[in-house]
Amino acid sequence: MPNPSIKDVGDVEGDSVYRRVTLHLIPFLFICYLFNYLDRVNVGFAKLQMLDALNFSETIYGFGAGIFFIGYVLCGLPSNLALSRFGPRRWIGLMMITWGFFSTCLLFVTTPMEFYVLRFLTGMAEAGFFPGIVLYLSRWYPNQRRGRIMALFMSAIPVSGLLGGPFSGWILNHFAAGHAGLAGWQWMFLIQGLPTVLLGVLAFWLLCDNAESARWLTPEQRARVAADIAFDDRNRPVQANTSVLAVLTMPFVWVLGFIYFCIQSGVYAINFWLPSIIKNLGFSDALVIGWISAVPYLAAGVFMLLVGRSADLRNERRWHLVVPMLMGAIGLVIAANFATVPVIAILGLTIATMGALTGLPMFWPLPTAFLSASVAVAALALINSIGQMAGFLSPYIVGWIKDQTGSTDVALYSLAALTVVGSLVALRVSRPVKAGAAV
């Protein structure tokens, strides 16, 4: 039976309510996620100077880039449980202050062990941020509206590449000769780390935990949001009040985690190695590399928003997830096959970036449509943690293969194959769960 409070996505009352929610929440969360993602990928640009300055090998870099996600995976579930216990406003603010501090401290690294420890601690601090935001948004938006909202929120990823690439390249070039005793890569960690601390402080004042406590909504608007969310909760297939241990043994949750792992494998390969791949195409200037790396992210940002809008308008999730995943695989194959032809290789990387990054927001309406609030706290953290293991394995494997073969081609082919497997699994599990209900 349809929810009487949720009409079509374009209903006047609903559009007015959720437009107000979006204008209040999404700009700030977008900026927070932009710095969150920039913090994960700026080490890819630091690599252009850091390896020579500190005499690090590709394997050391790959392990340091990846060990971030060991801390991330270990703390993902406890952090999400803490967010549920203490409230999103307090926990999100505390996480941002902590990871901003550790990220800034990377400018003091002189040995591989220091690099590993700080990356590990930064991963621990960031662990609950993204799954916490997914859980947070599920308390504000019904499933029919989440595709577009997740795409809008997660467009911070391509924007971080679009702005962060040229900006990081400019920092590396401008401070290449050193300034105030710091090298270019050190200035990059300083300039991009400190704003996160400030945003964490602002979160204590700008966020509220749920619609019921939002004084910037009228009582009628708060009631509308509450009714929509309550309807979603009553009609999710996974309804049981489950313990954390029971969630850990749910096969469906692990399958979703595997799909997310496949998506993230391609994403992190692109994020961490795009600057180096572009450099290997024959471009040596850091600023030029930054501008070229912005092209795939610009295309991905536009494509992500278009696909998110299409998914909500058609109330269809399945193919809006699978098609971008297959695009990611095809793009990686093109980039590997035409590594000696810069224009075609960059075109392949652009297609791969468009597909891989769009797969991220198209994935998350899937678990939030299936899982009740009692299950979601633990399940979303577990799914995200499984997926983030790709953040360790993907850059490390790419780095190891490049050290062994002198090329990234084999790694790109392997990641493309994994993405295809993930898309086939997604095609299977995202079948409509009941008549007339597209997920």
Side-chain angles (χ1 to χ4, degrees):
M1 187 179 76
N3 178 8
S5 71
I6 302 179
K7 308 175 183 63
D8 293 331
V9 169
D11 73 284
V12 176
E13 178 193 358
D15 283 351
S16 175
V17 172
Y18 289 106
R19 186 181 302 113
R20 188 163 187 178
V21 171
T22 299
L23 289 174
H24 191 92
L25 294 181
I26 298 302
F28 179 70
L29 293 178
F30 176 93
I31 294 172
C32 291
Y33 193 45
L34 189 153
F35 276 92
N36 175 253
Y37 217 80
L38 187 62
D39 177 64
R40 294 195 213 175
V41 302
N42 62 7
V43 71
F45 272 91
K47 173 181 180 286
L48 298 175
Q49 293 181 356
M50 194 175 180
L51 265 63
D52 290 336
L54 302 179
N55 197 28
F56 286 178
S57 69
E58 297 281 356
T59 304
I60 288 174
Y61 165 76
F63 186 77
I67 201 172
F68 169 99
F69 296 96
I70 300 298
Y72 192 106
V73 168
L74 290 175
C75 293
L77 180 55
S79 185
N80 225 37
L81 294 174
L83 182 143
S84 181
R85 170 66 177 82
F86 299 109
R89 179 178 62 87
R90 295 184 184 90
W91 196 250
I92 289 172
L94 181 61
M95 282 189 292
M96 296 190 70
I97 292 170
T98 306
W99 97 59
F101 171 76
F102 286 137
S103 181
T104 303
C105 286
L106 281 167
L107 69 90
F108 300 114
V109 162
T110 58
T111 68
M113 184 55 66
E114 292 171 354
F115 184 44
Y116 299 156
V117 169
L118 278 173
R119 288 288 294 171
F120 181 80
L121 291 175
T122 306
M124 290 179 63
E126 289 190 30
F129 179 77
F130 180 75
I133 293 295
V134 173
L135 181 65
Y136 184 60
L137 292 176
S138 72
R139 295 179 178 178
W140 289 90
Y141 294 93
N143 190 58
Q144 289 90 335
R145 295 178 182 269
R146 279 184 209 142
R148 194 181 312 184
I149 289 302
M150 286 304 299
L152 184 60
F153 166 64
M154 295 188 72
S155 64
I157 298 175
V159 169
S160 71
L162 177 63
L163 301 180
F167 184 48
S168 297
W170 177 83
I171 293 173
L172 293 178
N173 265 11
H174 184 75
F175 296 103
H179 187 75
L182 299 178
W185 63 271
Q186 292 174 305
W187 275 105
M188 192 183 71
F189 285 128
L190 179 65
I191 293 171
Q192 296 179 358
L194 287 181
T196 303
V197 177
L198 177 60
L199 288 169
V201 174
L202 290 176
F204 285 95
W205 282 273
L206 296 181
L207 297 181
C208 50
D209 288 339
N210 49 46
E212 288 80 359
S213 59
R215 298 305 163 206
W216 39 271
L217 292 176
T218 66
E220 293 78 16
Q221 291 171 330
R222 292 197 291 269
R224 168 64 192 261
V225 174
D228 289 352
I229 301 304
F231 178 83
D232 267 3
D233 285 342
R234 290 193 301 271
N235 289 275
R236 289 188 174 99
V238 182
Q239 283 288 330
N241 289 314
T242 337
S243 67
V244 172
L245 182 60
V247 170
L248 292 175
T249 62
M250 284 183 176
F252 179 68
V253 172
W254 287 91
V255 170
L256 290 175
F258 173 75
I259 296 170
Y260 195 53
F261 176 88
C262 295
I263 298 172
Q264 289 284 29
S265 292
V267 170
Y268 282 115
I270 293 168
N271 286 341
F272 284 120
W273 291 96
L274 182 60
S276 298
I277 292 172
I278 293 173
K279 183 178 180 180
N280 291 337
L281 293 176
F283 301 94
S284 57
D285 185 272
L287 184 57
V288 172
I289 293 173
W291 281 111
I292 293 175
S293 71
V295 173
Y297 288 110
L298 174 61
V302 174
F303 187 65
M304 183 183 290
L305 293 174
L306 291 175
V307 173
R309 177 179 175 82
S310 172
D312 278 356
L313 290 177
R314 291 168 175 78
N315 194 26
E316 199 283 328
R317 305 297 178 199
R318 196 182 189 198
W319 291 104
H320 284 82
L321 169 62
V322 172
V323 171
M325 290 180 69
L326 292 175
M327 282 179 59
I330 292 169
L332 290 174
V333 170
I334 292 173
N337 269 338
F338 295 92
T340 59
V341 186
V343 173
I344 300 180
I346 292 171
L347 175 63
L349 289 172
T350 300
I351 295 172
T353 306
M354 290 170 63
L357 293 188
T358 300
L360 294 175
M362 292 303 98
F363 169 80
W364 283 106
L366 184 63
T368 54
F370 276 89
L371 304 170
S372 68
S374 61
V375 175
V377 173
L380 293 180
L382 178 58
I383 292 167
N384 186 61
S385 294
I386 296 169
Q388 295 301 340
M389 289 174 66
F392 172 75
L393 294 174
S394 181
Y396 181 68
I397 289 173
V398 173
W400 183 82
I401 290 175
K402 186 177 179 183
D403 274 343
Q404 301 303 311
T405 67
S407 171
T408 56
D409 291 358
V410 175
L412 294 181
Y413 284 130
S414 301
L415 293 172
L418 182 62
T419 303
V420 171
V421 172
S423 69
L424 295 177
V425 176
L427 198 60
R428 170 71 177 173
V429 303
S430 60
R431 291 177 305 168
V433 294
K434 56 185 178 180
V439 298

